[in-house]
Amino acid sequence: MPEPTADLNTRSGAPAGVVSHWLEQEEKLDPSMLQRRPRLDGEREADVCIVGAGYTGLWTAYALLRKDPGLDIVLLDAEFAGYGASGRNGGAVIAQLNGSREYWDALGGPGAGVRMERAVQATVDEVGKTMAADDLGAFVKGGVVISARDELEAKRLKGSVEEDRAYGFTEEDCVWLDAGAAAARIGVANQLGARFSPHSATINPGRLVRRLAARVEAAGARIYEGTPVTAITPRSGTQAAAARTPYGTVRAKWVVRATEAYTESLSSHRGRLIPVRTSMIVTEPLDDTTWARLGWERHETLLALHPFLHLQHTEDRRITIGGADNRLPYRFGSKPSPDGAAQPVVAEYFRQQLIRLFPTLGNVRIDRSWAGVFGVTKKWAPCVHVDRAAGTAWAGGYVGEGVAASNLAGRTLTDLILGEDTELTRLPWVGEPPRRWEPEPLRATGALGIWAIRAIGDQVEGRTSKRSRMVAFANKVSGFSGHLG
């Protein structure tokens, strides 16, 4: 029999609201939004079975049902809709995708990198349009500021704007702001300038994922929570593809894997993605005087380098700040972060980084911290893959940039599953998935070693304002081909 509903945040004895600040807000706004759905109870058949009820899975179901409302769609989640990165991220719908233009051109031919970037830019507005039409929460398109606080960062960011011009991007896509113009947007300490792009918005990610789940259900899909999938088996002869769970099996014409950083839990897909640990903190609400002093009234997404940090001016007048854990970003065996608050030393690290950016916030109270993970493929770039013979599909590996990309992936998977030839299905990220990561203990040794080398190189660059060969070496060995890396 299905389990009775229970508050999402009380799983495993954890105190309410511990998953993230975003879901705590939802609990206060509407407690009914955070009730557990029943788990799978027995065998099921469906047209499409989606494993994972985060952004990728939900956007895929949403797009499929808009194109074909008669589809029978089942979503399975080991915990609850939005439990993973979708309910814990920084809330930036940003037109950014890991992977260089050269990487995408190598996959899709000349110009493929620009097509990929334009598709993600258009996706930011697509997300905003959909959120407004379906009441999925506030969408504030304030753009993104990448702050330069030393000469090397300024050189790189200026160079990125110049490179964008060479590829046909205009001032409507990005500009370099000198120190005065940058300070007029956000008053970051010791700021030499900044790169600004309008292609970004801030949201409450917890609200989006929970309301999106409700809209998908209202459109006819069925979501089973508390239902871990242990293996996905492909179509074989007359046997349909299947998602196997301890409580029953769902057989479907298509099984879509949307498990991102939790893919290691599938015995059939070990080593496809590794989880990289992240943490975030959120301040108390700030008063109008403080916001005026910071000069941050337009809700821009703020990114900082050395170390990489992402910040948001939230709708409830707080600041969130986070990034990859500076101590142990990878756990042996590809274990995701445990639930609960960030490690005290990590939370304090982000508090110090916040004060470094805004010294006047030294006495601001930190109200909450939380941990999470993002998924990384062997190529450090996302992928969309469909195997028609097997009846299986997959998208993910966003390297922490999945809020916008997951919507694009969901729409791309929809066209591929329905057999449509569209601009989305011709994007260069559609193809064969990268090869698996090395087995343990090589995986842990390599991941932690590369991370340590890159971290030291970042520190050297931050201290000397000169390019570090250590960073270049770590990027080459890991396969990382990100922007500004």
Side-chain angles (χ1 to χ4, degrees):
M1 294 292 293
E3 294 178 328
T5 58
D7 186 287
L8 299 183
N9 293 314
T10 59
R11 64 177 302 279
S12 304
V18 79
V19 173
S20 74
H21 169 67
W22 312 116
L23 291 177
E24 182 189 32
Q25 283 187 309
E26 289 309 282
E27 184 180 41
K28 291 178 179 178
L29 184 68
D30 182 1
S32 68
M33 287 289 290
L34 295 185
Q35 295 299 305
R36 280 267 193 175
R37 297 172 173 88
R39 74 185 187 195
L40 181 68
D41 185 23
E43 305 297 295
R44 274 291 311 261
E45 292 185 356
D47 293 317
V48 181
C49 175
I50 299 173
V51 182
Y55 288 148
T56 300
L58 291 169
W59 281 126
T60 301
Y62 181 91
L64 281 166
L65 289 168
R66 291 193 70 177
K67 287 201 168 187
D68 188 347
L71 286 172
D72 180 14
I73 297 178
V74 169
L75 294 98
L76 306 173
D77 199 280
E79 297 292 345
F80 56 83
Y83 165 80
S86 300
R88 311 186 195 208
N89 64 79
V93 188
I94 186 170
Q96 203 158 276
L97 199 67
N98 211 57
S100 66
R101 289 172 182 141
E102 292 76 15
Y103 172 81
W104 297 117
D105 284 354
L107 291 179
V114 171
R115 287 193 293 114
M116 196 75 243
E117 289 179 65
R118 289 297 190 191
V120 182
Q121 288 177 352
T123 296
V124 174
D125 293 328
E126 175 69 21
V127 171
K129 181 177 68 175
T130 303
M131 290 182 68
D134 274 348
D135 189 26
L136 301 179
F139 176 92
V140 183
K141 193 178 181 185
V144 55
V145 171
I146 308 179
S147 181
R149 294 176 290 167
D150 62 43
E151 292 293 346
L152 180 59
E153 291 177 356
K155 181 179 180 180
R156 281 178 170 161
L157 292 174
K158 285 181 184 177
S160 74
V161 173
E162 294 168 359
E163 182 180 339
D164 282 357
R165 295 289 182 273
Y167 276 87
F169 294 92
T170 70
E171 291 185 356
E172 294 183 354
D173 297 305
C174 66
V175 293
W176 167 255
L177 306 176
D178 62 23
R185 279 199 168 271
I186 306 178
V188 173
N190 303 313
Q191 187 169 226
L192 303 183
R195 173 190 165 110
F196 174 76
S197 169
H199 301 301
S200 182
T202 57
I203 61 169
N204 178 324
R207 183 166 305 154
L208 170 59
V209 72
R210 296 303 296 177
R211 292 190 180 182
L212 184 59
R215 298 299 181 271
V216 165
E217 277 188 314
R222 185 63 191 266
I223 302 174
Y224 295 100
E225 298 181 335
T227 306
V229 173
T230 56
I232 294 173
T233 56
R235 182 186 300 131
S236 178
T238 59
Q239 293 294 317
R244 304 186 183 281
T245 86
Y247 311 115
T249 296
V250 179
R251 293 177 174 82
K253 297 174 185 176
W254 287 96
V255 176
V256 178
R257 175 166 57 89
T259 47
E260 191 58 357
Y262 298 88
T263 300
E264 196 71 7
S265 63
L266 297 170
S267 62
S268 52
H269 291 79
R270 297 271 164 80
R272 286 297 185 189
L273 289 96
I274 64 169
V276 174
R277 300 177 66 184
T278 66
S279 293
M280 292 191 67
I281 61 173
V282 61
T283 70
E284 64 182 316
L286 307 182
D287 59 31
D288 291 344
T289 300
T290 301
W291 281 113
R293 188 165 60 242
L294 297 179
W296 189 1
E297 289 291 344
R298 286 171 284 199
H299 288 260
E300 298 96 336
T301 301
L302 174 62
L303 304 182
L305 309 174
H306 290 118
F308 178 80
L309 304 163
H310 55 82
L311 299 90
Q312 187 196 142
H313 172 176
T314 71
E315 62 181 348
D316 59 342
R317 310 289 283 170
R318 304 167 187 265
I319 294 176
T320 61
I321 178 173
D325 279 10
N326 64 322
R327 289 174 60 85
L328 188 63
Y330 176 80
R331 299 176 73 204
F332 186 88
S334 290
K335 296 177 182 177
S337 296
D339 291 345
Q343 297 178 56
V345 67
V346 175
E348 175 60 21
Y349 167 77
F350 285 120
R351 190 184 77 85
Q352 292 297 331
Q353 292 299 327
L354 177 65
I355 296 170
R356 182 183 168 206
L357 289 161
F358 303 110
T360 59
L361 298 182
N363 293 323
V364 167
R365 186 181 73 243
I366 302 303
D367 274 356
R368 180 173 296 284
S369 71
W370 64 96
V373 285
F374 59 76
V376 179
T377 68
K378 182 67 174 172
K379 287 292 186 181
W380 286 78
C383 179
V384 176
H385 173 70
V386 163
D387 187 332
R388 306 199 74 83
T392 58
W394 167 77
Y398 306 116
V399 196
E401 297 173 346
V403 182
S406 59
N407 174 277
L408 179 60
R411 290 183 289 121
T412 303
L413 281 171
T414 291
D415 290 352
L416 289 165
I417 289 170
L418 296 179
E420 299 178 359
D421 181 15
T422 67
E423 290 184 5
L424 298 185
T425 64
R426 294 190 292 272
L427 288 172
W429 69 345
V430 177
E432 292 300 313
R435 65 184 179 87
R436 296 176 189 264
W437 287 88
E438 292 79 6
E440 297 289 18
L442 293 177
R443 188 187 311 171
T445 302
L448 294 175
I450 290 169
W451 191 273
I453 292 171
R454 184 180 171 88
I456 294 171
D458 277 341
Q459 292 174 8
V460 170
E461 289 188 347
R463 187 173 62 251
T464 65
S465 288
K466 295 181 180 179
R467 292 183 181 273
S468 168
R469 292 182 179 179
M470 298 179 75
V471 172
F473 172 77
N475 288 346
K476 183 177 181 179
V477 172
S478 67
F480 178 80
S481 59
H483 37 258
L484 307 178

